[in-house]
Amino acid sequence: PFLIVILIMTPRLISSQFGLLDDGAMLENVREILSGDFSMWNDLQAGRFRPLYWGYFSLIFVLSGPYPFWFFFGHMSLFLILVLEIRTLVKQMGGEPWQGLLASLILIFSMPIVENFYTLSKGEPLQMVFLLLGLISFEQLKHSPAKRSKWQLYLAIFFSVLAAMLVKETTMAILPMAILWAGFSFLAKRNEPKAIKNVYFWFLGINVLAIATAFLLRTGWSGPSLVEGTYTMRYELSVSALISKVARWLTLYAFYFHYLLPLAVVAFIAYLSSREQSFQHNRNLFNWLIWVIMWVIALIPWEFTEVYYLLPFSIGIATLIGQITAKIKNTLKKRNSIQWF
């Protein structure tokens, strides 16, 4: 999959140009930051606070200057890291190597990839790199008996979520996910070890602390509230607006992710016909279903319906498919064995 990523990005590296609108504004803001103006006034009047987003582009500018090749090389590096993180997560959840390979391939060939990595202004790639790093630390925490290593992982989760928040505000979607994951642990009673339950509660607390810290930093920078900016005010919550936007988003999902419906039917049949039920497998499925659903909900009120916003959704779908196909494979294998017998 890493070679495929390089092949996908090679045409963009060969023909690398800055865009006329977003990239021009990006370069202007980076020059202001490097000249000592850290006000990020353009973001603040828009109701946004993204210091790490601008820090990422400023670092590339410092290292390479205003040459688009190196900016797209940085994006290719983020792409490679995302694929590595997906494979790591699938492995941590007990998946076999082929499941990690399948999940990474599903992500690589999903539609949001081109718009996120063939253009520079999108915040989702860097945001997802940080968020998945936090989830990798979270999964590692479930298997870490040493108290010292646990605190290191707590800090890794905190700074990962905080960094993601300082890249893009939609990172707040992780909070309702953490609440539902912890709620599942609370209701699981004896099916889940107490140590694992505690990890979920710690994860929730750390997310609350990280998001609160991001808002404190935002306030300290004299930034407006999320609903006051010229950009963030486009997040509409009126009933009429939500109804029309649900229809638009459903059309987009149906166009780019139409394969999910038959896959869901096959998976449903496989799970119904399977007598073996693993609590941990079902737990992982629940976690990533919640990830997918929360990102769907987070995007519905937004004014624009664009495929590049669906990178987090694609990551969740890729991870789910990596887990579900193992169940489908085992069910088909057993049915074939029974028929042969």
Side-chain angles (χ1 to χ4, degrees), residues 38-67:
F38 300 104
S39 64
M40 297 180 289
W41 62 270
N42 195 32
D43 260 15
L44 293 182
Q45 72 174 3
R48 312 196 71 184
F49 181 65
R50 303 178 294 168
L52 275 187
Y53 172 87
W54 295 115
Y56 166 72
F57 290 116
S58 299
L59 177 62
I60 297 176
F61 192 96
V62 167
L63 295 175
S64 63
Y67 301 105

Side-chain angles (χ1 to χ4, degrees), residues 245-260 292-293 295-300 305 309-310 313-314 317:
K245 287 169 184 176
V246 165
R248 287 161 55 189
W249 280 110
L250 284 176
T251 302
L252 196 70
Y253 287 119
F255 189 77
Y256 291 117
F257 296 93
H258 49 273
Y259 59 87
L260 293 180
V292 168
I293 292 168
W295 283 110
V296 169
I297 293 173
L299 290 174
I300 288 173
T305 310
Y309 292 124
L310 299 181
F313 177 84
S314 292
I317 290 298

